[in-house]
């Protein structure tokens, strides 16, 4: 694939939640998917474990891309396509959403002229192309201008920033066709009990103790546990067809989340693999799906998780803190209906300018 030698592309680099990524307008990238992906691999510096010749941060959490464009459906303000650029493989995938990067795209859409800010606060309806669902995202816009500064804090990110409120009213079953793709609260895969849930992110929730660990191990310890990772991958591959995802051997979903009793006063403790490296924290939509499992009767979380607070908050602990998910769920005709799944995030613009891919050869 080729692109114009020496031609730069306008890019905004953001920290969204606990991730970092590059934000582009679709009009600035090739329309052909293969050419676009080749260009993004070159920009990020993949495949290379250090991404030394690109702007990627040598970690799945810092090798992400958001592409923004005018809305393709009437009930949305703009379209957002998330792409995960693999670090050490020549792979770019749109198989999942990213709620962390979502925390910064409304501000970028305003600053790039896709939408108009309102005074004080702007509530935008974001069409997440990966799952064909609309998320509601509220950002601070005093005087009709984006502000990235504020007093909100989230675990895993030093300092403070403006609050970003995210609600996912259409998340249930957005990737797999149903909140519980198998129709069961509990399935057995490769001899292990699991809850297969999709509330914005396909997740296989399993008990840490069933894999011979406590769930309190560090990220580095779990990343070095090759036997554990092999066991998890066998379960993940078995889950793919059951979750209507097919062969997932080359996909980044479903995620694998090991749960255990809360350690810091939250609702549930987690260790998540994305899918082959242990997450430094947990993804936003991954946390929503785990929180959902906590309110499903008979799931693997039964007996492990504490009940939600009076306002419906489920506190999902992860290696560097917690994510609070406000869950409003009701049982109707034997099925669980989710009316609200909301989280608080923050974002910061790190730089805006022109990125130059290497010569295309």
């Amino acid at each position: 694939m080729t692109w114009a030698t020496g031609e730069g592309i306008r890019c905004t680099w953001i920290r969204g939640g606990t991730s970092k990524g590059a934000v582009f307008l679709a009009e600035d990238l090739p329309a052909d998917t293969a050419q676009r992906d080749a260009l993004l691999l070159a920009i990020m510096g993949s495949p290379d474990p250090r991404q030394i010749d690109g702007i990627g941060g040598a970690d799945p959490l810092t090798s992400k891309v958001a592409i923004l464009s005018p809305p393709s459906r009437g009930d949305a303000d703009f379209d957002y396509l998330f792409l995960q650029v693999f670090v050490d493989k020549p792979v770019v995938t749109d198989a999942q959403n990213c709620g962390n990067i979502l925390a910064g795209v409304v501000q970028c859409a305003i600053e790039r002229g896709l939408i108009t800010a309102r005074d004080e606060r702007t509530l935008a309806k974001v069409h997440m192309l990966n799952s064909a669902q609309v998320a509601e995202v509220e950002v601070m816009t005093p005087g009709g201008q984006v502000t990235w500064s504020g007093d909100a804090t989230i675990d895993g990110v030093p300092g403070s920033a403006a609050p970003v409120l995210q609600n996912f009213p259409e998340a249930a079953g957005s990737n797999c066709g149903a909140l519980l793709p198998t129709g069961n609260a509990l399935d057995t895969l490769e001899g292990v009990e699991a809850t297969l849930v999709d509330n914005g992110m396909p997740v296989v929730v399993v008990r840490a103790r069933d894999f011979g660990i406590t769930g309190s191990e560090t990220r580095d310890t779990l990343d070095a546990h090759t036997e554990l990772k092999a066991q998890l991958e066998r379960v993940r591959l078995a889950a793919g067809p059951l979750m209507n995802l097919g062969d997932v051997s080359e996909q980044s979903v479903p995620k694998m989340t090991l749960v255990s009793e809360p350690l810091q006063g939250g609702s549930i403790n987690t260790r998540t693999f994305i899918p082959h490296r242990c997450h430094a924290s947990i993804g936003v939509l991954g946390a929503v799906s785990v929180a959902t499992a906590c309110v499903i009767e008979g799931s693997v979380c039964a007996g492990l998780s504490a009940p939600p607070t009076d306002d419906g908050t489920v506190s999902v602990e992860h290696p560097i803190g917690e994510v609070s998910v406000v869950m409003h769920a009701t049982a109707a005709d034997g099925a669980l209906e989710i009316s609200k799944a909301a989280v608080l995030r923050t974002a910061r613009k790190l730089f805006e300018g022109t990125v130059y891919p290497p010569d295309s050869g």
Side-chain angles (χ1 to χ4, degrees):
M1 304 303 170
T2 62
W3 49 85
T5 299
E7 183 175 315
I9 302 165
R10 187 173 177 183
C11 172
T12 304
W13 188 249
I14 64 167
R15 190 272 301 163
T18 53
S19 295
K20 289 195 289 188
V23 182
F24 299 96
L25 293 187
E27 65 186 41
D28 294 332
L29 297 174
D32 178 79
T33 299
Q35 291 182 359
R36 180 202 68 194
D37 290 353
L39 177 60
L40 294 175
L41 286 165
I43 287 172
M44 286 295 181
S46 298
D48 173 50
R50 294 188 298 158
Q51 290 183 320
I52 194 64
D53 201 36
I55 64 174
D59 188 285
L61 302 183
T62 58
S63 186
K64 300 185 173 188
V65 169
I67 300 176
L68 312 183
S69 56
S72 58
R73 53 187 274 186
D75 59 347
D77 294 305
F78 67 94
D79 286 356
Y80 154 51
L81 176 67
F82 170 72
L83 297 174
Q84 179 69 60
V85 180
F86 280 52
V87 174
D88 54 357
K89 296 180 180 180
V91 174
V92 178
T93 177
D94 63 358
Q96 67 184 72
N97 288 311
C98 181
N100 274 308
I101 295 300
L102 176 66
V105 299
V106 173
Q107 301 92 317
C108 292
I110 293 170
E111 293 186 340
R112 296 297 302 273
L114 279 179
I115 62 174
T116 301
R118 298 172 180 85
D119 192 22
E120 297 305 324
R121 299 168 184 263
T122 298
L123 177 64
K125 293 186 176 181
V126 184
H127 179 201
M128 298 190 294
L129 291 174
N130 303 72
S131 58
Q133 71 184 91
V134 170
E136 299 171 345
V137 183
E138 184 180 74
V139 302
M140 302 300 105
T141 51
Q145 301 293 320
V146 169
T147 179
W148 299 85
S149 301
D151 298 326
T153 61
I154 59 173
D155 288 334
V157 178
S160 63
V164 179
L165 302 177
Q166 301 177 338
N167 184 33
F168 302 96
E170 298 181 357
S174 56
N175 296 275
C176 302
L179 183 72
L180 295 173
T182 66
N184 305 320
L186 201 66
D187 290 286
T188 300
L189 290 75
E190 298 293 311
V192 176
E193 289 187 329
T195 295
L196 312 183
V197 60
D198 171 22
N199 199 7
M201 178 66 69
V203 178
V204 179
V205 187
V206 291
R207 302 182 191 95
R209 68 186 184 214
D210 291 343
F211 290 82
I213 64 172
T214 66
S216 62
E217 291 83 357
T218 67
R219 180 195 194 192
D220 289 343
T221 296
L222 294 177
D223 259 343
H225 198 326
T226 55
E227 182 181 350
L228 168 67
K229 292 166 77 172
Q231 289 178 301
L232 288 173
E233 183 64 1
R234 287 194 291 271
V235 174
R236 195 180 79 88
L237 293 177
L242 296 177
M243 299 184 78
N244 301 316
L245 297 171
D247 179 2
V248 297
S249 57
E250 296 297 325
Q251 294 188 41
S252 57
V253 291
K255 310 299 186 189
M256 299 294 299
T257 295
L258 298 135
V259 294
S260 56
E261 293 88 348
L263 302 175
Q264 304 295 330
S267 304
I268 194 78
N269 182 50
T270 66
R271 295 294 186 268
T272 297
F273 284 77
I274 54 170
H276 306 129
R277 294 184 65 180
C278 187
H279 204 306
S281 54
I282 190 171
V284 171
L285 289 163
V288 171
S289 286
V290 172
T292 303
C294 289
V295 301
I296 294 174
E297 185 176 351
S299 79
V300 295
C301 298
L304 297 178
S305 61
T309 62
D310 291 342
D311 68 353
T313 297
V314 177
S315 174
V316 180
E317 298 177 357
H318 54 74
I320 54 177
E322 67 88 39
V323 175
S324 292
V325 182
V326 178
M327 296 288 304
H328 291 177
T330 56
D333 299 325
L336 191 71
E337 292 188 358
I338 309 296
S339 58
K340 185 175 185 179
V343 296
L344 168 69
R345 294 279 86 187
T346 67
R348 189 167 81 85
K349 181 166 66 174
L350 303 177
F351 73 74
E352 185 172 53
T354 304
V355 64
Y356 293 91
D359 294 347
S360 59

